Amino acid sequence: MPEAAYKLLGGKMETSSLRIRSVIAITLMVLFYVMAIGIAVGLILIPYFEYESGIMHIKLDLFSFIFGAIILWSVIPRKNKFIEPGPELKAEEHPKLFEIIKRVSEKTEQKMPSRVYLIMDMNAWVMENSGFLGTKKERILGIGGPLLHAMSVSEVEAVIAHEFGHYYGGDTKLAPFVYKTREAIERTLGGLEGSLMQLPFLWYFKFYLRITQKISRAQEYAADKIAVLIAGKDAFISGMEKLSEKSMAYDYYWKNEVIPVLEAGKRPPIYSGYTKFLKNEKSMNDIREFVTKSEEEESKEDKIYSSHPPIKERIEAAKTFENSSKNNDNRVGSILINDIEKLEKEIFIINFGEQAEKLEEVDWNGVKAVYYLKEWQEFYEKYREVGQNSFIKDYSEVFVDKESQIYINLKEKEPTLNREEADEYARAVIKITVTNALLKNGWELKKEIGEEIHLIKGEKSINIFVEIEEKINDTKIWEEFVTNNEIGDIYCQE
């Protein structure tokens, strides 16, 4: 162990841990290959022994040989080609970020990464890009643009220190053995899918995951300890608290805010939109509730097969670690990257190729609400005539009169619908029909980041996803709703 790193860790981290993990990983790899090759050779030899005995079963011999060949082909190690995940960051162009990386490198006495990339995810990682079975190693660090926008400078330093903890612990040296073995098992399972021959490999895969994921969780705790010692307990814990919440926020933002705009052939500014999304209290409260519920519902089985310990457990463990005395830099982490908006475009081109270059750039003010109604428009084109020829005020009667024209029209379109399905379709038809009628009568669609789509006219506002569906089931509530918004006497027709 390097002397400076040993002092940094208070002389308490056992140097034997890497050796133990290495022995376990290599043993598991050897066991798998012995099992796989043994089974494969045994299967391939079945036709030979049957031939020698003079009694052959053609189907058995054929399937034995095929399964044996599949297993042998599956376990041959593949060389993984490294694909650049984003634009490479240079020290001379981003000195603030590299100042932190260098400081962490010196404190842990670990070599600087050969390459640093800005990536699309709310994540950071390290790896050693290597050739066959770990030769020609090159250290690489990836850090996410969303992460830089969601965390402070000190929290980003804690993240980088955690990643260097993986270098320090030798985790990236073990990775080629662990992942290549896992890939070989997965290829074998895929090749044997649907056959009984899959069972021993499925059992071993579960066993392998239980052991290697337990090692991985221990590696995370060890890397957390280094992060606390270098960046401070406060920065690490606040970063962890943000991680699960804001990762979920980014996934939601990407799926529900960004993708519909991309599908419309436009490219909005992703990072500035994400920053705005994080400031939407309603959306963030919903996400916090979802994260809390997910953590509570996580089963023991989920934890066993997870590569990372639960965030709550990592935070509780961090509270017991030795702390460094450090003033926190609460400036947003994105200041560490120069011209990040330009790099955002490069990420798109690297990850999506020519398609990204064809997208028209728009700011969020130029994003139209109609981009988010693609599925509605498709549904409307199919069922547009079902809900026509009625006043808006009369639509609540549909759920009272089970023989209403809407149900008759739906049955003609979809004769296999049961009652519950017909009700669901009827609500969708009414929402779309009412929306289109209001648009023809001076109402406008409005969409803000993190908000649902509203119909706006003057001071009046209607949430088309929620209000119409909630109020349509009750005649009195619907009557009050349409009266207050002065829409009851609007007639819906083509």
Side-chain angles (χ1 to χ4, degrees), residues 203-450:
W203 172 85
Y204 190 85
F205 187 51
K206 290 182 178 179
F207 169 73
Y208 182 82
L209 283 180
R210 287 173 75 102
I211 301 300
T212 56
Q213 299 296 60
K214 185 176 181 180
I215 291 172
S216 176
R217 292 193 294 275
Q219 291 170 340
E220 294 303 319
Y221 281 124
D224 288 349
K225 185 174 287 188
I226 288 177
V228 169
L229 285 164
I230 291 175
K233 193 176 295 186
D234 291 342
F236 175 79
I237 290 176
S238 61
M240 281 289 102
E241 289 171 341
K242 289 179 180 178
L243 188 59
S244 58
E245 173 190 310
K246 296 195 174 179
S247 293
M248 182 71 68
Y250 185 72
D251 290 343
Y252 182 92
Y253 163 75
W254 180 264
K255 180 180 178 181
N256 295 281
E257 301 288 344
V258 178
I259 286 181
V261 183
L262 297 178
E263 289 178 342
K266 317 291 182 182
R267 184 178 69 81
I270 308 302
Y271 296 147
S272 64
Y274 178 54
T275 300
K276 190 172 181 180
F277 182 85
L278 294 177
K279 294 176 181 177
N280 186 292
E281 279 303 312
K282 182 182 180 303
S283 293
M284 291 308 297
N285 284 336
D286 291 342
I287 286 167
R288 289 184 194 103
E289 289 179 11
F290 182 82
V291 169
T292 301
K293 185 177 179 182
S294 299
E295 289 173 347
E296 291 171 351
E297 292 177 353
E298 187 177 23
S299 67
K300 185 178 179 181
E301 191 80 359
D302 292 333
K303 293 179 181 179
I304 287 173
Y305 291 108
S306 176
S307 62
H308 287 62
I311 295 291
K312 281 186 177 180
E313 293 180 16
R314 292 174 70 181
I315 290 173
E316 288 305 310
K319 291 176 182 177
T320 68
F321 297 160
E322 291 185 33
N323 190 23
S324 66
S325 178
K326 185 165 184 179
N327 293 324
N328 287 332
D329 185 341
N330 294 318
R331 293 175 298 168
V332 65
S334 58
I335 68 160
L336 299 172
I337 304 290
N338 292 325
D339 203 1
I340 198 165
E341 303 303 329
K342 179 185 175 183
L343 291 171
E344 179 184 301
K345 183 177 181 179
E346 290 184 38
I347 289 179
F348 256 83
I349 293 171
I350 289 169
N351 283 273
F352 300 109
E354 293 180 1
Q355 287 182 316
E357 294 189 80
K358 295 176 182 177
L359 296 175
E360 178 188 345
E361 293 184 33
V362 294
D363 62 25
W364 282 103
N365 292 327
V367 171
K368 299 178 181 178
V370 71
Y371 299 160
Y372 297 89
L373 297 177
K374 182 181 178 182
E375 290 183 6
W376 273 40
Q377 290 169 328
E378 292 172 353
F379 188 89
Y380 181 67
E381 288 302 315
K382 185 174 181 180
Y383 298 99
R384 62 193 306 161
E385 73 278 8
V386 171
Q388 301 298 327
N389 305 316
S390 177
F391 289 101
I392 290 178
K393 63 186 177 184
D394 296 329
Y395 276 123
S396 64
E397 298 294 333
V398 169
F399 300 98
V400 177
D401 179 9
K402 301 305 182 183
E403 300 301 323
S404 71
Q405 192 61 45
I406 284 183
Y407 282 114
I408 294 171
N409 293 343
L410 275 173
K411 278 293 183 181
E412 290 177 0
K413 280 273 188 184
E414 304 288 349
T416 61
L417 291 179
N418 60 36
R419 183 71 229 178
E420 186 177 340
E421 292 169 336
D423 281 351
E424 186 177 339
Y425 271 61
R427 289 189 192 94
V429 167
I430 291 169
K431 279 192 291 186
I432 298 172
T433 304
V434 169
T435 297
N436 278 280
L438 294 181
L439 290 173
K440 291 177 182 178
N441 282 269
W443 290 71
E444 295 180 349
L445 290 170
K446 185 178 181 181
K447 173 75 173 76
E448 297 287 347
I449 294 177

